[in-house]
Amino acid sequence: MAHDYRSIMENGKIKKTASIAPQRRKAAARPKSLYSHDELSEIFRRFSIQRPEPKGELEHVNPFTLVVAVALSAQATDAGVNKATRALFKVADTPEKMLALGEEKVRDYIRTIGLYRNKAKNVIALSQMLVERFGSEVPRTREELILLPGVGRKTANVVLSMAFGQATMAVDTHIFRIANRLLLAPGKTPDEVEDRLIRIIPDEYLYHAHHWLILHGRYCCKARKPECERCVIADLCKSPEKTCDVPAPLVELPPQLFGPTP
């Protein structure tokens, strides 16, 4: 059933598993945006109807394997990482097991991923740090996560969101492109885009916002050629590149599928 684009639903809020407030930049004022607060609410309301429970597409079984998967995903596709880590995580789903496997064997599992030699070294090093410094537990703060070899701010934000239910904005290539292309939160660096998005996205939508934006960029607002005719926010979009002003029907998409296809 299609939904009315013009009305803002009272019950269209997304459940959050953790407080949003700690992730906000408290001292910073709300940045100016080409989009009004009502327009921003409507954009994310539509995303919430299209994908009520969006999920990251990296396969993992616990916080440790999530850290490893996200670290491996730099300059690689989620599908490519998943293909390599399915077998790896069956034999090494804890820091101790990964250390026992050793760098050479880790390389053998992930050699289909770009930069696999350096990434294998980082996987062993971060596993060692988790055992020696954090009691084999994945830390729950960004400051501690970014101490791990191969883990930057984006990786830390993904882990905080997907593993620990914190509202964060992990700015990958898709979000960086969309924030600038749509003039939603333009910035010259991922950190600048993250800061602006965190401050303009309505509180009730912030928890799922990074997944909505990533999936929108991956499957609709594509890098080479955005598919504006399939976009549910085409009428609201202020991108000078857009080719259509008529929004696609606002319907819930089929559930995301994970794992190998038959």
Side-chain angles (χ1 to χ4, degrees), residues 24-165:
R24 298 272 184 186
R25 307 290 172 89
K26 294 181 180 179
R30 186 177 186 276
K32 291 182 179 180
S33 172
L34 290 182
Y35 296 82
S36 68
H37 179 77
D38 286 346
E39 287 174 326
L40 289 166
S41 293
E42 180 64 2
I43 285 170
F44 287 97
R45 182 189 75 88
R46 294 185 193 179
F47 286 157
S48 76
I49 292 171
Q50 190 180 44
R51 299 183 190 273
E53 292 293 333
K55 295 178 175 61
E57 297 188 320
L58 284 171
E59 297 172 17
H60 61 284
V61 296
N62 56 32
F64 169 69
T65 54
L66 177 61
V67 171
V68 172
V70 181
L72 293 177
S73 71
Q75 301 181 45
T77 65
D78 287 1
V81 172
N82 291 340
K83 186 176 181 181
T85 56
R86 283 178 197 130
L88 174 63
F89 293 158
K90 285 181 180 178
V91 298
D93 60 356
T94 67
E96 291 86 355
K97 291 178 183 178
M98 195 69 75
L99 288 173
L101 194 60
E103 184 178 331
E104 184 176 346
K105 289 186 178 179
V106 171
R107 283 204 308 266
D108 290 339
Y109 278 102
I110 67 170
R111 63 174 57 251
T112 57
I113 301 175
L115 307 175
Y116 73 94
R117 293 182 183 276
N118 190 57
K119 289 179 179 179
K121 185 180 297 185
N122 282 336
V123 167
I124 293 300
L126 74 83
S127 298
Q128 187 79 41
M129 182 176 285
L130 285 173
V131 170
E132 294 179 352
R133 184 163 180 172
F134 297 106
S136 299
E137 295 290 329
V138 174
R140 293 171 176 257
T141 70
R142 184 185 293 110
E143 292 72 22
E144 290 175 314
L145 280 167
I146 61 177
L147 296 175
L148 299 173
V151 174
R153 186 178 182 89
K154 187 205 81 171
T155 297
N157 282 341
V158 172
V159 173
L160 291 173
S161 172
M162 293 179 62
F164 304 125

Side-chain angles (χ1 to χ4, degrees), residues 3-9 38 42 45-46 235 250:
H3 294 260
D4 182 3
Y5 283 96
R6 294 168 297 177
S7 62
I8 303 295
M9 294 171 56
D38 286 346
E42 180 64 2
R45 182 189 75 88
R46 294 185 193 179
D235 56 326
L250 185 57

